[in-house]
Amino acid sequence: MIFQDPYASLNPRFTVSDIIGEALDIHGMAGSRAERKKRIEELLDMVGLNSDHATRYPHEFSGGQRQRIGIARALAVNPKFIICDEPISALDVSIQAQVVNLLKDLQDRLGLTYLFIAHDLSMVKHISDRVAVMYLGKMVELADSEELYANPLHPYTKTLLSAIPIPDPEIEANKQRLKMEGDQQGPITAAKGEDGTVQLDLDDTELVEVSKGHWVAKAYA
């Protein structure tokens, strides 16, 4: 797992070597100290850091470097599946693209599968093959990335996509923006656009396949 906060997810009393090597020790994946050291250096190189960083502590690194350490730790046990819990939301925008590109490169090199949890829909589209939209802890729509962004069916999905800013002031000023309505103290219950207000069926949890690989809550199929 790669955690959201690179400042809180690394033990400040551990060196980088200890942070990455802990999993190797627990799972008995290094037969000797020399093998352990070599594997840690390989992992650091894999994420764009160097062997000198192994003896340093987390406070000596920037947020982006700390997240790279977190990625190296996740890779230590040779996983096939990694949960990325909003791994870029705590980083500066200039660093986010670097980390996402690193994740994509590692995915290609190592054959990894990610469960990438995020609120940044532009980034989700960039990194994902398939996208699931959740509302109130329930999945309401699931489709291939290109299909979901081109043909959203659920009102909540449409609302989320309409909120993505467009880097053209004229288009941004004239685009239709859907709005969610509901009790401020409770769940949003409706989506309002030019076509009127659509009530959300919060109890509709059954997904149906409307086209190959495109699933949506039954009420909106």
Side-chain angles (χ1 to χ4, degrees), residues 95-169:
I95 304 300
Q96 289 181 0
Q98 295 178 21
V99 172
V100 167
N101 289 335
L102 171 63
L103 289 172
K104 286 179 69 69
D105 178 58
L106 291 169
Q107 183 180 44
D108 293 338
R109 289 166 58 190
L110 304 176
L112 298 170
T113 297
Y114 296 134
L115 173 60
F116 193 90
I117 304 164
H119 289 93
D120 185 336
L121 296 174
S122 298
M123 195 62 74
V124 168
K125 183 179 182 181
H126 176 65
I127 197 171
S128 302
D129 298 308
R130 284 178 66 73
V131 178
V133 177
M134 297 188 72
Y135 181 61
L136 295 180
K138 299 172 182 176
M139 194 181 300
V140 296
E141 189 162 3
L142 171 67
D144 290 344
S145 180
E146 292 297 329
E147 165 67 12
L148 186 88
Y149 281 75
N151 185 33
L153 297 177
H154 195 278
Y156 186 62
T157 307
K158 294 178 181 179
T159 304
L160 288 174
L161 296 181
S162 77
I164 299 176
I166 298 173
D168 183 313

Side-chain angles (χ1 to χ4, degrees), residues 12 32 35 43 50 60 66 70 79 88 97 103 107 119 122 131 149 154 156-157 165 168 181 184 197 202 207 218 221:
S32 65
E35 187 178 334
L43 290 163
N50 60 59
E60 299 179 70
R66 292 186 194 209
I88 61 172
L103 289 172
Q107 183 180 44
H119 289 93
S122 298
V131 178
Y149 281 75
H154 195 278
Y156 186 62
T157 307
D168 183 313
E181 297 181 338
Q184 291 186 353
T197 300
L202 303 182
L207 297 181
K218 188 175 182 180

